[in-house]
Amino acid sequence: MPISLVAYRERKREREMECIATPFFSNSCVVTLKSGSIALPCRLRSPSPPRKRLLASRELRCQKMYVPGFAEASPEAKAARNLQDFFTYLAVKIVLAQLESYNREAYDELMEFISGNSLNDGEKFCQRLMRESPRHKGLALRILEVRSAYAKQDFEWENLKKLAFKMVDESNTRLMRDYVEETSHLESEG
């Protein structure tokens, strides 16, 4: 039975498709045709037995986005590092609040140290605090203890995830809405 022209063209187009991971679509691929590129969901057809391994590797490449510029660590490791610095900041605030109510002298010493040392890098801050004096070493150990306890017991990790998703979605929606309003306003003037 002869193949119809439409079916022939469809098969030919399928053979020309190439699945490449793209930073714009998490579970999508860029399909390159001779006529151009389009984004499609990453659902490749069941391969014929000889090509199974090749297509399976393509499916794996399409599942995660490639993020350039993170040779030394993953984006998750970078985020963890930033969270560690943030937890150090929070621990210092907690320890300061505790000291203010029962040990005013230690509170003043820590405040003086903070005024001359940046809290942007929590690791370096704690290292310098430990080496300042034996009294400061005790404060540094207290900050490390509070930082660890807060990260493990008090920080609401699930809430962080929900808030991050919500904030990204709201920001994207707001930015797209503003862009559409701006461009439609410009088009109506022109």
Side-chain angles (χ1 to χ4, degrees):
M1 180 171 174
I3 297 175
S4 71
L5 185 59
V6 174
Y8 172 76
R9 286 182 180 160
E10 237 178 75
R11 287 186 190 158
K12 185 177 177 186
R13 189 176 309 158
E14 285 175 7
R15 284 190 301 256
E16 293 172 350
M17 289 184 184
E18 181 181 349
C19 181
I20 303 168
T22 176
F24 302 110
F25 302 94
S26 166
N27 289 323
S28 299
C29 303
V30 171
V31 179
T32 307
L33 304 174
K34 288 184 179 177
S35 59
S37 297
I38 58 172
L40 295 174
C42 185
R43 290 190 190 108
L44 299 176
R45 290 179 171 228
S46 303
S48 58
R51 296 181 55 198
K52 190 171 187 170
R53 285 189 190 132
L54 175 64
L55 290 177
S57 68
R58 286 183 181 169
E59 284 180 311
L60 291 176
R61 286 191 299 155
C62 294
Q63 297 304 312
K64 287 253 261 185
M65 289 184 227
Y66 168 72
V67 183
F70 286 92
E72 73 282 350
S74 67
E76 292 81 4
K78 177 89 170 165
R81 174 74 180 145
N82 288 328
L83 277 172
Q84 179 184 354
D85 292 339
F86 183 65
F87 290 145
T88 303
Y89 169 80
L90 292 175
V92 168
K93 292 292 187 185
I94 292 167
V95 170
L96 279 171
Q98 293 169 347
L99 292 174
E100 188 176 26
S101 63
Y102 74 87
N103 190 343
R104 191 66 186 183
E105 186 182 340
Y107 171 84
D108 292 337
E109 287 178 2
L110 186 54
M111 283 302 291
E112 183 181 333
F113 185 83
I114 291 170
S115 67
N117 295 278
S118 173
L119 263 168
N120 288 340
D121 186 339
E123 196 76 14
K124 288 180 182 176
F125 177 84
C126 290
Q127 286 175 348
R128 286 190 298 261
L129 185 60
M130 282 183 153
R131 286 164 180 75
E132 186 73 16
S133 73
R135 187 166 170 89
H136 285 87
K137 181 181 178 183
L139 292 172
L141 292 174
R142 177 69 184 141
I143 289 168
L144 295 177
E145 181 181 311
V146 169
R147 177 176 75 174
S148 178
Y150 185 82
K152 291 177 183 175
Q153 298 166 6
D154 289 353
F155 190 76
E156 297 177 11
W157 293 99
E158 284 302 314
N159 195 25
L160 168 71
K161 187 176 180 179
K162 288 177 191 173
L163 285 172
F165 290 160
K166 181 181 176 188
M167 290 171 69
V168 166
D169 288 343
E170 287 175 354
S171 175
N172 288 350
T173 302
R174 184 180 64 253
L175 291 169
M176 288 186 282
R177 184 181 335 110
D178 292 349
Y179 176 76
V180 168
E181 287 174 1
E182 181 183 309
T183 56
S184 61
H185 178 70
L186 291 175
E187 289 174 3
S188 64
E189 287 180 356

